[in-house]
Amino acid sequence: MFPYSCSSSVAIFLVSLLLVGDQGGARIILPPNVTVPAVIAFGDSIVDQGANNNLNTLVKANFAPYGKDFMNGKPTGRFTNNKTPADMLVEQLGIKEFMPAYLDPSLDDKELLTGVSFASGGTGFDPQTSLIVGVLSFADQLKQFKEYIEKLKGIVGEERTQYILANSVFLVVAGSDDLANTYFTIGIRRLQYDIPSYGNLMVSSASKFIKVY
């Protein structure tokens, strides 16, 4: 288990985060005295910012028409035509315009300080899901997160690293590939589980991930 915990102020933010409409679209209003230094994402294609680009997998989005409405129509590995929810969140929090992938070869220290995504399209809470398509499992993502923590310490020291991790917003987005691919399409888990018991497996794996973090 990591020696960092979410501060009470950010915990309150997570349950009281308010989206209100204005002429420019939705915006996030933080509770008083709450500062979010970074956003850190784990999960699947919903918040994969390009991690799969350099993996030996068929699950990629670094080709047209992906990205056709993003950065002059350039595909970046995001599984969307425009921004991902992770991009939208960091922008609305005023942290930065886009969230990068941790595996982005052009990543610099400033980007590390304000958050990255460890997510890998095609993964899931079920360990079999990532194995089937050769992408990063949640265990792989946690290993990279440990590396990330050490990099932060090297840049800003132990105390500031603890502050960043304790006050950041963490996104965990997964589950659709478990059901759509591993259970229903390929069907290997249907030989072992009915839908309720497979759901319990996913919940158990998700709970273990949160506890390990």
Side-chain angles (χ1 to χ4, degrees):
M1 184 174 292
F2 296 98
Y4 306 101
S5 61
C6 182
S7 69
S8 59
S9 61
V10 175
I12 293 171
F13 162 71
L14 289 173
V15 297
S16 63
L17 184 148
L18 177 63
L19 292 174
V20 297
D22 63 8
Q23 293 182 351
R27 57 189 173 91
I28 294 175
I29 297 178
L30 294 173
N33 303 317
V34 172
T35 300
V36 178
V39 176
I40 298 169
F42 302 89
D44 59 20
S45 60
I46 302 299
V47 287
D48 182 345
Q49 308 297 98
N52 283 11
N53 289 352
N54 297 313
L55 298 182
N56 185 22
T57 178
L58 295 176
V59 185
K60 295 179 184 288
N62 56 349
F63 55 89
Y66 291 111
K68 68 183 183 68
D69 301 313
F70 180 72
M71 295 181 67
N72 299 317
K74 178 183 177 182
T76 61
R78 289 166 170 80
F79 288 78
T80 175
N81 63 301
N82 206 318
K83 295 180 179 180
T84 68
D87 292 317
M88 297 176 191
L89 182 56
V90 295
E91 182 180 24
Q92 292 300 323
L93 286 171
I95 296 174
K96 51 188 172 184
E97 189 174 4
F98 309 113
M99 175 182 283
Y102 176 69
L103 294 181
D104 185 340
S106 64
L107 199 65
D108 59 24
D109 290 353
K110 182 179 179 181
E111 294 284 12
L112 288 172
L113 295 177
T114 51
V116 294
S117 174
F118 301 93
S120 179
T123 200
F125 291 119
D126 182 348
Q128 286 294 325
T129 302
S130 58
L131 287 175
I132 291 169
V133 291
V135 298
L136 299 174
S137 66
F138 270 94
D140 295 326
Q141 293 178 37
L142 276 178
K143 182 179 179 180
Q144 291 179 354
F145 181 56
K146 292 178 182 180
E147 296 174 353
Y148 168 76
I149 292 175
E150 294 306 312
K151 289 181 179 180
L152 284 184
K153 291 178 182 178
I155 298 168
V156 296
E158 175 76 31
E159 184 175 348
R160 181 62 184 177
T161 295
Q162 184 169 352
Y163 173 83
I164 291 172
L165 296 177
N167 291 278
S168 293
V169 170
F170 289 79
L171 297 178
V172 182
V173 183
S176 59
D177 289 292
D178 294 316
L179 291 169
N181 299 332
T182 307
Y183 192 85
F184 286 110
T185 302
I186 298 173
I188 59 173
R189 288 303 200 186
R190 277 189 287 177
L191 300 175
Q192 302 168 284
Y193 303 94
D194 58 15
I195 292 178
S197 59
Y198 189 63
N200 290 337
L201 172 69
M202 292 170 60
V203 170
S204 176
S205 296
S207 298
K208 288 178 182 177
F209 173 79
I210 298 299
K211 289 178 181 178
V212 169
Y213 159 70

